[in-house]
Amino acid sequence: MSAWVLPDHIADVLPSEARHIEELRRQLLDTARAFGYELVMPPLLEHLESLLSGTGEALDLQTFKLVDQLSGRSMGLRADTTPQVARIDAHLLNRAGVTRLCYCGPVLHTRPDRPHATREPLQFGAEIYGHAGLEADTEILRLSLDCLNAAGITGRAQTPVIVDMADARIVRSLFAGVPVDAAAIARVHAALAAKDASGLRELTADFPAQSRDGLRALVQLYGDAAVLDEAAKVLPDIAGVRAALSDLRQLAGRIDGAKVSFDLADLRGYAYYSGMRFGIYTSGASDALVRGGRYDEVGAVFGRNRPAVGFSLDVRELVGVLPAQPLRAAIRAPWSDAEELNKTITALRSRGETVVCVLPGHDSEIDEFHCDRELVELGGQWCVQAI
């Protein structure tokens, strides 16, 4: 095999796309900072027991593992940054009040999570620790939409944005008191996620009537706000279900600039979330651009089981659904050792201009930049002129 062939689902990022990704990364971090989020930079690899603590089997299977040559201990390359941020909140910051943190860095997956996806996403995320109320959930939803707005996704008629919501407490409440093991629960979760009504009937045949009927009803509970009214009628009137439906209704009323839908059987990340969860979709994307929700137990294994809510997205995937950027405007300059020319070039670059010096014999080889101006000498002075 040729030495330049990369592994499956791993790819180089070439200049125009790389510039777009980097500019978008800065926009997202600036948007989070405007909300008061502090940037953290967790390491790419950690001891395995720390990296996978409390994350569930799914993340374990997605994690590349290796042996540390210094200590002999097992280490992992992170497949998700949220557990690391929970560790930072619990042990390094250890603040008593609300903590807002954001991050942006690569993660690695052993397998792509869907066809044509990269195994090396550039994950951006933001998280609030320390507040259990709907105010934190609302802020996270609004920040995620503002991030898409900053990227240029929202606000375009041809690109409708849909926030799809669910709540992990509904299924948890329906399982309360049901004498089944973890494997049986996982099979029910899979049937719900696939909306496999016949499989669900078979799996829940021996469940208590309240749990059985409630789980079966979930398969049909998806659509607009009317779904919440229907759910209140057909689901058992128990505290966890009532609280979840009430919270979803309130949060939906606080979302501006996007259509809201519900899929109460959507259990992606069920081992992760403890309450409201959401995905944000738009045309041109094969899956949700943003995923997030409440995961209050995420810090428990680090000794701080406090409220947490957040979201994440793949910057590379986000760039993939945006229009390609035009070439960056630049100034063309001749290559010379002339002192005045080089002073002029330095002054222009210090003001933020891109000045490309054309090497001798390579007049037409500038690919990433559109040189719409050039430096020319007029009367002994170097001046910028339109081309």
Side-chain angles (χ1 to χ4, degrees):
M1 182 177 292
S2 299
W4 54 268
V5 176
L6 293 174
D8 291 343
H9 299 276
I10 299 291
D12 294 307
V13 181
L14 301 182
S16 291
E17 185 181 4
R19 172 167 62 90
H20 198 173
I21 289 172
E22 174 58 17
E23 291 176 357
L24 181 55
R25 183 190 69 86
R26 296 178 190 179
Q27 288 174 326
L28 295 172
L29 290 173
D30 286 346
T31 302
R33 182 177 60 187
F35 276 68
Y37 288 73
E38 300 172 273
L39 178 64
V40 292
M41 296 180 178
L44 185 59
L45 75 168
E46 286 195 41
H47 293 126
L48 205 56
E49 59 269 26
S50 171
L51 197 63
L52 297 180
S53 293
T55 58
E57 182 183 10
L59 198 59
D60 185 12
L61 294 175
Q62 278 283 55
T63 301
F64 279 102
K65 302 173 178 70
L66 63 155
V67 175
D68 182 6
Q69 297 299 310
L70 293 180
S71 66
R73 295 174 63 181
S74 294
M75 302 187 76
L77 296 167
R78 67 177 178 221
D80 182 28
T81 312
T82 291
Q84 296 182 296
V85 179
R87 174 182 54 76
I88 290 172
D89 172 69
H91 284 292
L92 300 182
L93 296 178
N94 199 26
R95 296 171 180 169
V98 170
T99 301
R100 292 176 171 90
L101 301 175
C102 65
Y103 56 86
C104 190
V107 296
L108 290 169
H109 294 163
T110 56
R111 295 176 179 271
D113 56 14
R114 60 187 177 280
H116 310 299
T118 179
R119 289 195 288 164
E120 190 187 9
L122 180 61
Q123 189 181 51
F124 166 82
E127 302 174 10
I128 304 177
Y129 294 89
H131 187 75
L134 290 183
E135 297 84 0
D137 302 62
T138 303
E139 181 173 299
I140 282 295
L141 283 163
R142 289 175 176 169
L143 174 57
S144 62
L145 288 169
D146 274 13
C147 284
L148 293 184
N149 183 56
I153 289 289
T154 59
R156 296 186 296 169
Q158 69 272 26
T159 312
V161 173
I162 300 171
V163 179
D164 189 65
M165 304 178 70
D167 197 302
R169 290 173 294 177
I170 294 175
V171 173
R172 287 189 180 189
S173 298
L174 294 175
F175 267 115
V178 179
V180 290
D181 58 21
I185 292 175
R187 289 193 292 270
V188 172
H189 283 152
L192 284 169
K195 294 188 169 44
D196 180 3
S198 60
L200 195 60
R201 282 195 299 273
E202 181 178 339
L203 289 167
T204 59
D206 296 328
F207 283 21
Q210 179 174 265
S211 298
R212 180 191 65 221
D213 295 343
L215 289 167
R216 292 177 181 180
L218 285 179
V219 174
Q220 303 298 326
L221 293 175
Y222 60 91
D224 59 19
V227 165
L228 300 183
D229 297 326
E230 180 66 16
K233 296 176 184 177
V234 300
L235 294 180
D237 185 21
I238 51 181
V241 173
R242 286 197 307 270
L245 294 177
S246 174
D247 288 354
L248 288 173
R249 195 182 303 276
Q250 290 186 63
L251 289 169
R254 297 174 181 178
I255 295 174
D256 296 320
K259 179 182 178 181
V260 180
S261 65
F262 303 90
D263 185 351
L264 302 188
D266 186 353
L267 291 172
R268 276 172 286 192
Y270 68 86
Y272 203 64
Y273 295 110
S274 61
M276 178 276 298
R277 54 143 300 277
F278 67 94
I280 303 181
Y281 297 80
T282 188
S283 59
S286 60
D287 198 9
L289 285 179
V290 178
R291 289 202 180 276
R294 182 164 285 280
Y295 29 81
D296 289 344
E297 288 100 357
V298 71
V301 294
F302 302 112
R304 295 196 79 197
N305 191 11
R306 69 192 198 126
V309 58
F311 73 91
S312 66
L313 60 86
D314 177 7
V315 182
R316 294 176 66 171
E317 182 183 18
L318 185 55
V319 163
V321 301
L322 292 170
Q325 286 188 323
L327 296 179
R328 183 167 181 168
I331 299 170
R332 185 171 64 198
W335 176 264
S336 173
D337 288 326
E339 182 178 357
E340 287 304 316
L341 173 59
N342 287 312
K343 284 183 178 179
T344 302
I345 291 172
T346 299
L348 288 168
R349 287 172 174 164
S350 69
R351 296 201 297 267
E353 294 280 6
T354 298
V355 182
V356 181
C357 291
V358 180
L359 299 176
H362 299 272
D363 293 353
S364 303
E365 297 180 9
I366 299 170
D367 296 321
E368 168 60 10
F369 302 98
H370 169 55
C371 291
D372 58 351
R373 292 153 294 160
E374 64 180 343
L375 270 175
V376 296
E377 188 176 18
L378 296 174
Q381 298 290 324
W382 287 97
C383 305
V384 177
Q385 284 190 346
I387 295 177

